[in-house]
Amino acid sequence: MDHTFMLNPPTVSAYSEWMMLRALFEFGGLSRFCGHRHGWISDEIASALGLPSEVEQADEMPKMVKALLGERYRLLKQSQWSDSERVLLEQNIVALAERLQLNRVEMLILRLAVYMQIDPTLKEALNLIGRQIDRRRFCHLLAEMLNQPFAEIRAALHDKQKLMRFGLLQTNRHGRDFDDYLCWGDTLDADKLDIQPFSEETLLKRVVQPSMPAGLAWSDFEHTAAMACRIRDYLHHAYQTQRKGVNILLYGEPGTGKTEFASLLAHQLALSCYTLGSADEDEDMIGGQRRLQNVQLAQTLLAGQRALLVFDEVEDVFASSLFQLSAAQSHKAWVNQFLEHNAVPMVWISNDVGCMDEAFLRRFDIVLHMPDLPQQKKAALVEQLASRRLSEGEVAYLAKQQKLTPAMLTRSFQVASALASADGDFGDHVFSLLNQTMKAQGKQRLYRPSEQQAAYSLDWVACDHDLHKISRGLQQNPYGRICCYGPPGTGKTAWANWLGQQAGLPVLLKQGSDLLGKYVGETEKNIAAAFEQAGEQKMLLVVDEVDSFLFAREGSERSWERSMVNEMLTQIERFEGLLVVSTNMMHNLDSAALRRFDLKLAFSYLTTEQALALAAQYLALLQLPELSCAQQSRLKQMGQLTPGDFATVARRHRFAPFENGDEWLSALENECALKPQAGVGKVGFL
């Protein structure tokens, strides 16, 4: 044999070289390495071990390789190799193992995985001995390579143990090679372990981010003060007693302040607050499986500290579909156990809990639906954002819109401010931006109120009862169930909104279309939720178009239609607050519904005196001359006028101004002409 060949210095670490040589000489890898027809199987492995390229062309290449590498293997055995070049890496592996409380077997496995990641040729060499193997055979191979018991190796690689549970390692379930069973996870960057000292702060940053300080104050959540205080007090008790398994679930429409509230809780209790987001530190999206791994690691790192963990946007963890289980359902037993034993208290945030398994829901200590801001609070927010650039009417209108969340308002106002500074009307920008968002969400558009609308007055409402007396009584004692009926535009809903303002009650306005659901049972849930919100927040509940789900059950053909009516009747009966409903079709209501209302108010068309007084008010607002006698006579002939007709015509004036009183009167006449004839048109009267 020609002994002129000598090994070059290896290009891999001493540990990697040692494990590669063991794979070749102890586990049968050498024959596979040299078994290629035209030379060795991998130039990368050969170069990493220092084999000169000339050896590959030698006549007795396998013998030369065996001799050269065998001598090197013998020397490493005798010298008790040490990886002096990778001191920092070895120190970091030990520090990481100590911090995560890994046992010796887990640390040895982690070390091998780290070197496989930073020295790819080690991975390639190990695949020579672990090709087309099953998991059991892999565990046997690994046990022999690390000189550890098979049972301990198998236990350390279980999904419930730390290496897999923290996302340090992962397994390719569909693989068959050695490296498929020992893949590097997403939690840590192996290369960084080789170049910078281990830092617990760096590791923590990989899985959580410090929560942003709250932009709202505790007083901004007065609309849910009782539950907010309960949550705060419960968390305080949990930290004092070191209670485990403390989990709070917040849910509600996007933009209602759930994340802000979580930050405020931490601030109130002087806690460090961390958020488990849906993106990593590189802003790459991460899935539900990895987020579950991150929360487990965060729990370990933060154990014993005064910290609060916030798991935002939990839908990707808990939401399932007809054909696929959620990440939580795939690990249901573990998730259930986690919710009962987590050491660091957590706040979980979701937009919708309909996707969550009931087995998970019942394990949360407190579940809070985050409602929309009350009308008064929202009005204050709009005024603050508008900075006097909107009229009082526009502010009041936006404050009434339950579908507008604080986040939507804040974002749209910020953009509108930037646009208006360059060009255009601030209000136009606000309404346009909000409507684009509403359209994307499948919600009804907003209509900018005209500044030429007359202020609401009971003097311009035709009712069969003394509305002044009733209103005063309800302001003093805001309790009752009232049904307002009559033709459209007669002021039924407007009176309810005005009453709320006078009584100092936030108004929760629900259109019939707001409560009607697409699926069986959804309408009932929406009805119950509306009554619950109004009761908890002491709001005046206004339900418009109540005939949508209070129709006579005798004519219903489907069971869900009767169920819908029954739910509405039940909620009305139980409601201990002020309820005002309105309908244009009183004759269609279920007979049982009528008995549940304390008062039925019939709203009608304006009297002649009311019409003349309201006309004078609007003509002044529109800067048109007073009506002549002849024009007053024309007005008196209109027998079906409502306050809504005057408001409609006033809105038209914005884009098609009236030149004189005659044009304005013609517009009113056209509105009346579109209505059913007198006698037939008095819809809703008994």
Side-chain angles (χ1 to χ4, degrees):
M1 181 182 298
D2 190 352
H3 295 284
T4 59
F5 294 113
M6 297 182 61
L7 289 177
N8 298 317
T11 62
V12 294
S13 66
Y15 176 87
S16 294
E17 182 189 17
W18 169 247
M19 297 303 291
M20 291 171 71
L21 291 173
R22 287 193 66 200
L24 295 178
F25 286 94
E26 295 183 32
F27 297 93
L30 187 62
S31 61
R32 294 175 184 170
F33 174 71
C34 299
H36 198 272
R37 283 190 307 177
H38 305 294
W40 48 55
I41 199 170
S42 170
D43 289 337
E44 288 75 16
I45 293 177
S47 177
L49 295 175
L51 287 170
S53 59
E54 296 82 2
V55 174
E56 188 177 14
Q57 308 302 324
D59 293 336
E60 297 183 319
M61 182 270 291
K63 291 183 179 180
M64 291 184 180
V65 169
K66 184 177 182 180
L68 290 169
L69 296 181
E71 179 64 16
R72 176 63 176 166
Y73 183 44
R74 185 183 65 81
L75 291 174
L76 286 175
K77 271 186 171 181
Q78 292 178 348
S79 63
Q80 296 294 313
W81 69 271
S82 64
D83 209 332
S84 58
E85 297 178 359
R86 296 286 177 82
V87 175
L88 178 61
L89 178 61
E90 289 292 324
Q91 290 175 344
N92 283 340
I93 292 173
V94 173
L96 178 62
E98 289 178 350
R99 181 62 188 87
L100 300 182
Q101 299 179 353
L102 304 182
N103 59 37
R104 174 172 172 74
V105 172
E106 291 170 332
M107 188 186 75
L108 292 175
I109 296 173
L110 179 66
R111 175 203 249 175
L112 177 59
V114 169
Y115 279 93
M116 287 174 63
Q117 188 68 11
I118 62 178
D119 290 336
T121 49
L122 171 59
K123 185 186 302 182
E124 190 176 358
L126 293 176
N127 278 337
L128 293 176
I129 65 173
R131 196 171 295 280
Q132 298 297 309
I133 58 175
D134 58 21
R135 184 177 180 83
R136 184 174 182 83
R137 175 56 183 159
F138 165 76
C139 289
H140 275 292
L141 273 175
L142 190 59
E144 293 179 44
M145 294 193 73
L146 299 179
N147 298 316
Q148 300 299 316
F150 166 78
E152 294 184 24
I153 292 289
R154 184 174 61 178
L157 293 174
H158 195 279
D159 289 346
K160 294 182 178 179
Q161 298 305 312
K162 293 178 180 179
L163 292 176
M164 299 294 179
R165 188 156 51 89
F166 292 163
L168 299 173
L169 305 179
Q170 57 187 353
T171 297
N172 181 357
R173 303 288 182 185
H174 304 290
R176 298 294 301 276
D177 296 342
F178 190 98
D179 66 322
D180 289 325
Y181 296 102
L182 202 62
C183 303
W184 190 250
D186 297 318
T187 300
L188 281 176
D189 187 341
D191 292 326
K192 289 185 178 180
L193 291 175
D194 197 29
I195 60 177
Q196 61 186 37
F198 169 77
S199 165
E200 185 173 323
E201 291 74 20
T202 302
L203 180 57
L204 186 62
K205 188 178 178 181
R206 292 281 297 183
V207 294
V208 296
Q209 298 296 322
S211 301
M212 296 293 292
L216 299 175
W218 188 258
S219 59
D220 292 319
F221 292 91
E222 288 180 354
H223 55 295
T224 186
M227 284 300 298
C229 291
R230 288 191 187 102
I231 294 173
R232 181 192 61 195
D233 295 344
Y234 177 67
L235 286 174
H236 177 68
H237 178 268
Y239 286 102
Q240 283 188 320
T241 60
Q242 298 183 347
R243 184 182 180 93
K244 293 185 177 181
V246 175
N247 295 279
I248 311 297
L249 175 63
L250 306 178
Y251 73 99
E253 289 289 322
T256 51
K258 302 182 294 294
T259 306
E260 292 271 344
F261 179 69
S263 295
L264 278 172
L265 281 173
H267 179 74
Q268 286 271 310
L269 298 169
L271 307 172
S272 299
C273 191
Y274 299 93
T275 298
L276 288 134
S278 54
D280 60 17
E281 59 180 353
D282 300 321
E283 299 301 321
D284 296 324
M285 300 302 295
I286 57 178
Q289 175 68 35
R290 183 178 168 188
R291 296 185 74 194
L292 285 178
Q293 293 172 343
N294 286 351
V295 73
Q296 296 173 76
L297 182 53
Q299 282 283 334
T300 298
L301 295 173
L302 294 172
Q305 301 184 30
R306 284 187 59 82
L308 182 67
L309 266 176
V310 180
F311 202 128
D312 205 357
E313 300 176 358
V314 304
E315 290 85 355
D316 64 339
V317 173
F318 289 100
S320 61
S321 67
L322 184 62
F323 304 103
Q324 186 175 4
L325 295 175
S326 67
Q329 288 174 320
S330 300
H331 303 81
K332 190 170 184 178
W334 176 86
V335 173
N336 288 339
Q337 187 179 19
F338 177 86
L339 291 172
E340 294 173 354
H341 298 94
N342 55 294
V344 181
M346 292 190 61
V347 175
W348 306 70
I349 297 175
S350 176
N351 296 329
D352 183 16
V353 295
C355 62
M356 296 183 66
D357 192 314
E358 290 186 2
F360 300 140
L361 280 174
R362 65 172 177 261
R363 284 175 166 82
F364 290 99
D365 301 308
I366 300 177
V367 179
L368 171 63
H369 175 259
M370 188 63 67
D372 189 22
L373 285 176
Q375 187 172 322
Q376 292 173 327
K377 286 284 186 181
K378 189 178 288 186
L381 175 63
V382 174
E383 285 181 350
Q384 178 186 347
L385 295 171
S387 299
R388 300 181 180 180
R389 289 173 291 182
L390 293 180
S391 68
E392 292 184 6
E394 290 169 330
V395 171
Y397 174 79
L398 292 175
K400 293 176 184 176
Q401 308 306 313
Q402 294 288 318
K403 49 203 170 185
L404 293 180
T405 64
M408 289 173 59
L409 289 167
T410 301
R411 191 174 299 110
S412 297
F413 273 77
Q414 288 174 346
V415 176
S417 296
L419 294 172
S421 62
D423 181 40
D425 177 43
F426 177 78
D428 284 341
H429 288 312
V430 167
F431 277 84
S432 177
L433 291 167
L434 288 173
N435 276 322
Q436 289 302 314
T437 304
M438 302 294 282
K439 183 178 180 180
Q441 296 178 351
K443 297 177 180 177
Q444 295 180 350
R445 71 174 284 111
L446 306 173
Y447 293 93
R448 189 176 183 185
S450 172
E451 297 180 9
Q452 298 165 330
Q453 300 294 321
Y456 186 85
S457 174
L458 295 182
D459 295 334
W460 300 325
V461 178
C463 182
D464 64 342
H465 286 68
D466 187 343
L467 213 53
H468 290 272
K469 181 180 179 181
I470 292 170
S471 300
R472 287 194 299 269
L474 290 172
Q475 291 174 41
Q476 297 173 0
N477 183 22
Y479 174 84
R481 295 164 291 190
I482 300 169
C483 177
C484 302
Y485 66 99
T490 50
K492 303 179 295 293
T493 305
W495 173 70
N497 281 304
W498 174 87
L499 179 63
Q501 295 175 3
Q502 298 303 306
L505 295 174
V507 177
L508 178 59
L509 174 61
K510 294 292 184 180
Q511 303 287 339
S513 55
D514 297 332
L515 299 176
L516 289 172
K518 298 179 181 178
Y519 308 104
V520 175
E522 187 176 356
T523 299
E524 291 90 298
K525 290 182 180 179
N526 293 342
I527 293 171
F531 277 91
E532 181 181 2
Q533 181 182 351
E536 289 181 351
Q537 301 177 38
K538 302 188 184 310
M539 308 174 80
L540 165 56
L541 178 58
V542 182
V543 183
D544 201 8
E545 305 167 359
V546 74
D547 46 88
S548 301
F549 32 77
L550 269 188
F551 49 80
R553 287 169 289 184
E554 293 81 3
S556 58
E557 299 178 356
R558 303 171 180 86
S559 61
W560 58 265
E561 292 178 328
R562 293 187 293 273
S563 176
M564 189 167 58
V565 177
N566 291 336
E567 180 64 29
M568 188 68 182
L569 294 176
T570 301
Q571 293 295 338
I572 293 174
E573 187 72 32
R574 295 176 179 175
F575 187 59
E576 297 182 356
L578 182 54
L579 168 69
V580 178
V581 307
S582 64
T583 177
N584 302 328
M585 295 181 287
M586 186 70 160
H587 58 281
N588 285 347
L589 294 189
D590 189 274
S591 57
L594 297 177
R595 296 194 301 270
R596 284 169 168 81
F597 293 108
D598 308 317
L599 183 63
K600 292 84 157 173
L601 300 178
F603 286 69
S604 186
Y605 300 113
L606 295 171
T607 65
T608 300
E609 292 76 14
Q610 289 175 322
L612 288 170
L614 192 54
Q617 183 74 15
Y618 269 99
L619 288 169
L621 289 172
L622 302 179
Q623 298 182 348
L624 293 173
E626 295 180 1
L627 296 178
S628 66
C629 291
Q631 291 170 333
Q632 290 183 23
S633 297
R634 285 179 62 185
L635 184 66
K636 293 176 183 179
Q637 297 301 314
M638 305 177 200
Q640 292 182 316
L641 281 173
T642 69
D645 296 329
F646 285 91
T648 300
V649 172
R651 289 195 298 269
R652 188 186 312 173
H653 182 76
R654 294 186 62 191
F655 57 86
F658 302 110
E659 297 292 335
N660 50 58
D662 287 329
E663 289 186 5
W664 181 77
L665 284 169
S666 296
L668 283 176
E669 288 171 339
N670 291 334
E671 291 296 321
C672 291
L674 295 174
K675 300 176 184 180
Q677 296 297 315
V680 179
K682 293 186 178 182
V683 181
F685 287 87
L686 296 176

